[in-house]
Amino acid sequence: MKISIIGGTKGLGNWIANFLKNKGFNVTITGRNRIDGENVSKRLGVKYTPDNIKAASQADLVILSVPIGVTTETIREIAPYLKEGSLIMDVTSVKEEPTSVMNECTPKGVEILPSHPMFGPRIRSLDGQVVVLTPVKRGKWYQKVLDFLEAENARVIVTTPQTHDKMMSIVQGLTHFSYICIASTIEKLQIDIKESRNFASPVYSLMLDMIARIVAQNPYLCYSIQTHNGYIQETHEAFLQTFKELKEMISEGNEKEFVGAMSSAAKHLDDLEAALGRSDKAISALTEEIRLLKDSVGEEVGLRHIYSGKIHIGILKDLTPNFAILDQDKKEIKLKLSNVEVLSDVELLKWKIESFPKKTYDVSAVFPDNCDPEVISNTIKSLKGVVTSSVLGIYSGNQITLGKKSVTIRYSVIDPNIRHEVENLLKGFGGLIR
Amino acid sequence: MKISIIGGTKGLGNWIANFLKNKGFNVTITGRNRIDGENVSKRLGVKYTPDNIKAASQADLVILSVPIGVTTETIREIAPYLKEGSLIMDVTSVKEEPTSVMNECTPKGVEILPSHPMFGPRIRSLDGQVVVLTPVKRGKWYQKVLDFLEAENARVIVTTPQTHDKMMSIVQGLTHFSYICIASTIEKLQIDIKESRNFASPVYSLMLDMIARIVAQNPYLCYSIQTHNGYIQETHEAFLQTFKELKEMISEGNEKEFVGAMSSAAKHLDDLEAALGRSDKAISALTEEIRLLKDSVGEEVGLRHIYSGKIHIGILKDLTPNFAILDQDKKEIKLKLSNVEVLSDVELLKWKIESFPKKTYDVSAVFPDNCDPEVISNTIKSLKGVVTSSVLGIYSGNQITLGKKSVTIRYSVIDPNIRHEVENLLKGFGGLIR
């Protein structure tokens, strides 16, 4: 199957190209910048052409991943050239406009499947990710795409373009937009955010982090969503109206109305108890980790970088509000607390076993004839620090007292000192080391 | 030291009364409702009087914990009767007004220490909690209170009433108030929040949870903070202005200005990278737990209720988006996922050891004379499921072959089946069970 990705050199289009190439598909990408295109083509091992029409006309599946602002003109550009029996999909964050333009311009015999993958290009697999589909009709391609996504463990939501855009006007038009306004107001009032964090609780701190997260998004994408979703204007109006009303209740001293409005808004939200429970958990996950580290100063800790996955192991020398300082073989390293997570003892041990060179030793000991070498080997394996252990041989001939046998165990360790513990175990049960 | 808490029958005042009584202080509470007062007095073992003036005039330390709306009139009521050399504190969520009224009305020789404990009455200790102090002058009482709070491991912030109220106008006037407006807008637009969660990411879900958390607060307290903080009106105005401006950029298609405003707001926030890191961790703590449970269907799991601390153990029979269903000795129990956290293997084992009855057994086995009974006992103790183990006796007389000795170990287990494993271990090393 030939797949063409219109706008595959950057962002999500690029992610899709890489993902589908790795799944074994024959992928062609397009993009206006020829140098970028050829670089990506080489890096991912996909074909590149700057010609959207050429790419679209040869493909069984065309995926449109261009900025929202040029989506409809790109649909109009390529639609007449789509192959009979092929499928066109888009991945735009609004759905009404692209769906209706695809419907209008695409020749008969071409299936249309508008979509909105609700994730960014940082993810590694589709596992658990939400993909919204707004099919015009559920044809054979629809089923194929659905099966593919479900096999990848994605959470597929099938709905209408209207419902999608209405919901997004809340997610992005109301919450994201308000968050941006909060951040912009903080800037306007020249408030020192760092200072304000000192005053308040972990709840407030996480609130600020969530605001920062939204405000740090690509502002161009954010702008196009705000301008291309037909429901957002109404949402902004409704928010503005509500804010004015509540503000007036405060300035006029109208306690009864304010309390009524707040209680009623709380009731309209879904399960408040669950919301409290989840946010409590999120907050305590952050504070618990700090508590854990506080108790580990002077001890060995393992810290995993949450983005790179790199693991740092060392003696925790000091802990400041923002950094952990590790002593690592006389070298001191400073790690930002927000970017690392603490490994549990089990994880730390597992990592050491996987990462450090192991040394293998053989040990022979004489035990009564009725002993079970497998039990002896398994007991050695259960010692902390022993990585593997197995029975290498059993011997009971010359040199060995009658009624006894010699058992040889081969085991591996990271720390050679563990050898003493192995020998102490064998001697402890009356074994004679040979 | 005699401490009177004006308004000690409910909320934070009640919490403080209980806390100080447990620390050994001589505590009197007041409160308008005589029945409530006498009940609390009996329950906590503190004195009660409905007479604020009487309580205030006899105390070395007076703590004012009444609703914001009646704080100033209560200060005026009691101030003339305060003892020379005593201290008056309040715990109101705004600081400018109470501080200036206390300053004005309190007789010479009485120290004033306005405060704002930044926590609610659900906490169990002061460990890690923030307490803001806005002292007018740093006298002997100031140092005493500071030492006390620091000994309790509270995070004390000393600042001016102006700085406090300005910061709170952001924390509560800007963020909390906007969140309430978002929730109220959602209600006005009749959006089904549950449906909207399906569409979006864990980020959005946590955003909603944080909004719900704020909106679920006591609306009366929220109203009084909004009306009594002198900076909040200005903050509301600034937000309204900003919202209008950004909204206009969207409706007029002014991309450049919108992108500029959003980027600049992002830059003004403190460390964005840290904010992303922390919120990523908070979100992954929630999704990770679900993933862990998904992998454990059919296996034994332990779930701790995050509020009551109660632990439920059973076979995880099924997992729905909101519930975990446990099979517990043929009884089926349904637990809300948002209210429970998953125990690690280590925690689960620890809980079992603490909670289940233990059975004690003695076992004797014959080993070569050169064996070390302590090593044998320690090896038994390291078996999974063994709780304690110790050497009970060593015997090497009649009945025992020459060159051998009999070792008796006393060990305890929860599951009697572990006995077989203990015997297998001893036999495995050639021991003869007697």
Side-chain angles (χ1 to χ4, degrees), chain A residues 5-196:
Chain A
I5 296 160
I6 309 299
T9 56
K10 274 185 276 184
L12 191 63
N14 187 243
W15 185 91
I16 296 172
N18 185 36
F19 184 77
L20 293 176
K21 165 73 191 170
N22 287 338
K23 293 281 158 197
F25 292 104
N26 179 349
V27 175
T28 300
I29 60 167
T30 76
R32 275 172 302 183
N33 187 314
R34 199 179 271 268
I35 297 168
D36 278 359
E38 274 156 9
N39 283 339
V40 173
S41 156
K42 250 181 250 161
R43 190 159 44 79
L44 304 187
V46 300
K47 294 188 202 81
Y48 165 72
T49 165
D51 184 347
N52 286 344
I53 292 172
K54 190 178 154 205
S57 65
Q58 293 171 347
D60 302 301
L61 163 55
V62 175
I63 299 173
L64 200 69
S65 178
V66 295
I68 304 184
V70 296
T71 295
T72 57
E73 67 187 72
T74 313
I75 297 172
R76 289 183 203 282
E77 177 196 356
I78 62 169
Y81 305 95
L82 293 169
K83 273 210 302 198
E84 166 129 28
S86 71
L87 169 70
I88 177 167
M89 297 183 74
D90 76 319
V91 293
T92 320
S93 308
V94 295
K95 292 271 62 66
E96 279 203 71
E97 204 186 19
T99 305
S100 92
V101 176
M102 281 194 275
N103 234 345
E104 172 199 323
C105 307
T106 305
K108 253 192 156 181
V110 173
E111 203 172 317
I112 299 166
L113 186 50
S115 83
H116 181 195
M118 308 276 299
F119 52 82
R122 287 204 303 177
I123 63 158
R124 280 181 209 157
S125 83
L126 286 178
D127 190 10
Q129 299 295 339
V130 175
V131 180
V132 180
L133 300 177
T134 62
V136 179
K137 85 173 206 258
R138 304 186 182 192
K140 74 169 178 34
W141 275 106
Y142 164 76
Q143 196 55 49
K144 251 187 184 166
V145 171
L146 194 66
D147 292 347
F148 175 81
L149 291 172
E150 287 182 344
E152 294 293 328
N153 233 348
R155 270 177 52 213
V156 180
I157 300 195
V158 179
T159 186
T160 63
Q162 289 72 26
T163 305
H164 170 274
D165 284 8
K166 207 157 190 182
M167 286 299 164
M168 284 306 114
S169 78
I170 297 303
V171 177
Q172 300 178 307
L174 182 58
T175 55
H176 289 199
F177 192 76
S178 309
Y179 278 30
I180 295 164
C181 291
I182 292 173
S184 187
T185 307
I186 288 172
E187 184 196 8
K188 192 173 280 174
L189 294 171
Q190 284 300 308
I191 298 295
D192 183 340
I193 275 301
K194 212 167 193 163
E195 194 186 350
S196 83

Side-chain angles (χ1 to χ4, degrees), chain A residues 187 264 271 281 336 340, chain B residues 187 264 271 273 281 336 340:
Chain A
E187 184 196 8
S264 158
D271 197 339
K281 275 197 216 176
K336 208 165 186 179
V340 292
Chain B
E187 183 196 9
S264 156
D271 197 338
E273 193 203 342
K281 275 197 215 178
K336 206 164 187 179
V340 292

Side-chain angles (χ1 to χ4, degrees), chain B residues 378-392:
Chain B
N378 286 338
T379 308
I380 289 177
K381 198 174 165 188
S382 73
L383 288 177
K384 205 180 158 184
V386 174
V387 182
T388 61
S389 171
S390 60
V391 180
L392 193 66

Side-chain angles (χ1 to χ4, degrees), chain A residues 108-299:
Chain A
K108 253 192 156 181
V110 173
E111 203 172 317
I112 299 166
L113 186 50
S115 83
H116 181 195
M118 308 276 299
F119 52 82
R122 287 204 303 177
I123 63 158
R124 280 181 209 157
S125 83
L126 286 178
D127 190 10
Q129 299 295 339
V130 175
V131 180
V132 180
L133 300 177
T134 62
V136 179
K137 85 173 206 258
R138 304 186 182 192
K140 74 169 178 34
W141 275 106
Y142 164 76
Q143 196 55 49
K144 251 187 184 166
V145 171
L146 194 66
D147 292 347
F148 175 81
L149 291 172
E150 287 182 344
E152 294 293 328
N153 233 348
R155 270 177 52 213
V156 180
I157 300 195
V158 179
T159 186
T160 63
Q162 289 72 26
T163 305
H164 170 274
D165 284 8
K166 207 157 190 182
M167 286 299 164
M168 284 306 114
S169 78
I170 297 303
V171 177
Q172 300 178 307
L174 182 58
T175 55
H176 289 199
F177 192 76
S178 309
Y179 278 30
I180 295 164
C181 291
I182 292 173
S184 187
T185 307
I186 288 172
E187 184 196 8
K188 192 173 280 174
L189 294 171
Q190 284 300 308
I191 298 295
D192 183 340
I193 275 301
K194 212 167 193 163
E195 194 186 350
S196 83
R197 281 187 199 263
N198 288 335
F199 275 76
S201 56
V203 182
Y204 173 69
S205 216
L206 185 55
M207 265 169 65
L208 282 182
D209 290 340
M210 300 294 283
I211 291 171
R213 180 174 192 106
I214 299 303
V215 184
Q217 288 178 335
N218 178 344
Y220 291 94
L221 177 61
C222 180
Y223 174 82
S224 4
I225 294 171
Q226 301 287 332
T227 43
H228 282 82
N229 182 320
Y231 299 94
I232 276 186
Q233 202 124 2
E234 181 196 347
T235 308
H236 288 177
E237 278 300 341
F239 180 85
L240 200 55
Q241 197 50 42
T242 308
F243 194 95
K244 280 184 190 160
E245 282 166 21
L246 288 168
K247 179 176 175 298
E248 211 171 274
M249 293 173 203
I250 298 295
S251 58
E252 288 181 355
N254 195 338
E255 181 182 57
K256 205 180 142 202
E257 262 197 72
F258 180 85
V259 167
M262 185 165 159
S263 311
S264 158
K267 255 180 243 137
H268 177 78
L269 291 177
D270 59 340
D271 197 339
L272 283 179
E273 193 203 341
L276 277 174
R278 279 187 302 257
S279 52
D280 268 350
K281 275 197 216 176
I283 293 158
S284 72
L286 297 174
T287 50
E288 173 64 16
E289 206 175 44
I290 299 291
R291 204 195 50 73
L292 206 73
L293 278 178
K294 265 191 192 161
D295 290 346
S296 305
V297 173
E299 289 169 23

